[in-house]
Amino acid sequence: MTTPNEKTSSASDLWRLNLLIWATLMALLFASLALAYVPMGFLTPAAGIIIGFAKAGLVVFLFMELASSRALIWLAALSGLVFVAALFALTLADVLSRSG
Amino acid sequence: MTDTSTQLREPWANFSRQQEAGKFGIWVFLASEVLFFGALMLTYTVCRIEHTEAFAAAGRETNIWYGTANTAILLTSSLTMAMAAQAAAAPERFRRLVLGCLLTTAALGLAFLVVKGFEYKEDIDKHLVPGSHFALPQAGAQLFYGLYWLITGVHAVHLSIGIVLVSRLILLGYLRKIELRENPEVEVTALYWHLVDIVWIFLYPLIYLPGRAS
């Protein structure tokens, strides 16, 4: 089986790809900083969180190489996400449905 | 290929199984860490829903420049950590590159802690520690800063553990006590480091960005 690392054989290839990911992460960081000062109602805090998910996605899929990992690794990664989603969904279902 | 017999540990029959098990094990651990920090962020979310205005006022008191600088530092450390892990896994010999990237990663981790130290000093001087001398009038602002000290403190402990793990790899690799090439310890350490970075990626908009537009 060929891994992504066997395809990129030189150090400059590794740098080129990873620097591109890093530049995107930095651009997203400054985008979230700038958008925090724009009054857009509930969209202002939402923008920071959404950009956070985009940054985390780049780190998980590319730096942590989940995109090229086997199904077993996906299972472990998704288990954390599923349980956190349940934690948020069940708690917020209570908090947001309270009257007064 | 590297002679992997020196890296093979019990109970695995071959090196590729050991690599797979190490990677699976750290991902299971990271999933538990996601739950740990997820519970803290959920607490923050519930408190913010209940005290929206107070959280905006408290968020404005944080130092956005320290927070943004530290986010940039950690994102850059993830770049050097990813480079170290990928260079170590590559079939070519990149020993100096791996060591250089690990060293830069540890240095950036230390830089983060130094900036955080300056920030904590400023927070203490501004009376942003919950208690009787707290600077802001809103009760909800004390909740914000209670969670701020707790979550950033726990994150700093995680980062410190990461710096120790990376420094261990640098020392053992430099002294040639371990072979860095194709060593699963490099990949496992890198995955842990990236998780600490991801936690901070979410803390940044929760702590430093609220209340800036109002």
Side-chain angles (χ1 to χ4, degrees):
Chain A
M1 201 174 96
T2 307
T3 67
N5 287 319
E6 284 166 347
K7 286 179 213 159
T8 52
S9 54
S10 74
S12 59
D13 285 339
L14 287 178
W15 275 117
R16 197 172 301 128
L17 175 66
N18 287 309
L19 276 171
L20 188 65
I21 300 164
W22 173 80
T24 311
L25 286 169
M26 296 303 276
L28 287 170
L29 165 63
F30 291 114
S32 64
L33 174 64
L35 284 173
Y37 288 89
V38 182
M40 299 183 290
F42 76 96
L43 285 176
T44 303
I49 304 292
I50 290 166
I51 290 174
F53 273 106
K55 282 192 284 186
L58 284 172
V59 173
V60 169
F61 286 111
L62 301 175
F63 279 167
M64 297 172 85
E65 299 182 323
L66 184 64
S68 56
S69 293
R70 293 173 57 176
L72 185 67
I73 304 300
W74 275 84
L75 194 66
L78 284 175
S79 68
L81 207 60
V82 166
F83 284 116
V84 158
L87 195 68
F88 270 78
L90 294 175
T91 307
L92 292 181
D94 171 35
V95 172
L96 295 174
S97 62
R98 285 180 196 168
S99 57
Chain B
M1 288 290 288
T2 311
D3 175 20
T4 53
S5 60
T6 55
Q7 295 180 27
L8 184 62
R9 301 280 183 272
E10 287 186 3
W12 290 283
N14 61 61
F15 189 62
S16 65
R17 292 294 291 272
Q18 181 181 324
Q19 279 180 310
E20 276 298 316
K23 191 172 175 180
F24 179 63
I26 190 69
W27 272 102
V28 170
F29 171 72
L30 296 186
S32 75
E33 287 282 85
V34 166
L35 269 173
F36 175 72
F37 280 103
L40 289 171
M41 288 180 196
L42 176 60
T43 309
Y44 170 97
T45 306
V46 171
C47 291
R48 184 167 168 170
I49 290 167
E50 306 269 338
H51 306 276
T52 311
E53 291 305 316
F55 268 52
R60 273 194 295 274
E61 290 300 314
T62 57
N63 188 319
I64 198 160
W65 301 114
Y66 281 144
T68 306
N70 260 347
T71 311
I73 287 171
L74 270 198
L75 290 176
T76 309
S77 78
S78 260
L79 162 72
T80 53
M81 191 75 242
M83 277 299 298
Q86 290 171 26
E92 293 79 12
R93 287 197 174 276
F94 288 133
R95 183 173 176 273
R96 286 180 63 184
L97 176 64
V98 175
L99 279 174
C101 284
L102 287 174
L103 196 63
T104 312
T105 304
L108 287 167
L110 281 173
F112 177 96
L113 291 180
V114 169
V115 173
K116 202 85 201 84
F118 282 117
E119 189 182 350
Y120 279 162
K121 166 79 171 60
E122 187 183 281
D123 294 334
I124 292 167
D125 289 345
K126 286 167 70 180
H127 299 286
L128 292 172
V129 181
S132 55
H133 298 292
F134 189 69
L136 300 173
Q138 305 94 329
Q142 298 223 29
L143 280 174
F144 176 95
Y145 273 96
L147 288 165
Y148 163 83
W149 287 98
L150 175 66
I151 302 176
T152 59
V154 170
H155 177 266
V157 170
H158 276 76
L159 186 66
S160 303
I161 293 168
I163 294 169
V164 171
L165 294 174
V166 173
S167 302
R168 174 185 166 274
L169 286 178
I170 296 165
L171 188 66
L172 295 179
Y174 181 76
L175 297 173
R176 296 184 190 274
K177 300 270 187 192
I178 58 168
E179 173 68 67
L180 291 172
R181 192 165 156 227
E182 295 187 49
N183 191 331
E185 290 178 39
V186 179
E187 185 180 28
V188 164
T189 305
L191 288 171
Y192 173 82
W193 189 274
H194 291 309
L195 181 91
V196 175
D197 182 25
I198 288 169
V199 169
W200 188 261
I201 283 174
F202 284 108
L203 290 184
Y204 176 68
L206 297 182
I207 291 173
Y208 297 96
L209 301 187
R212 300 290 167 188
S214 51

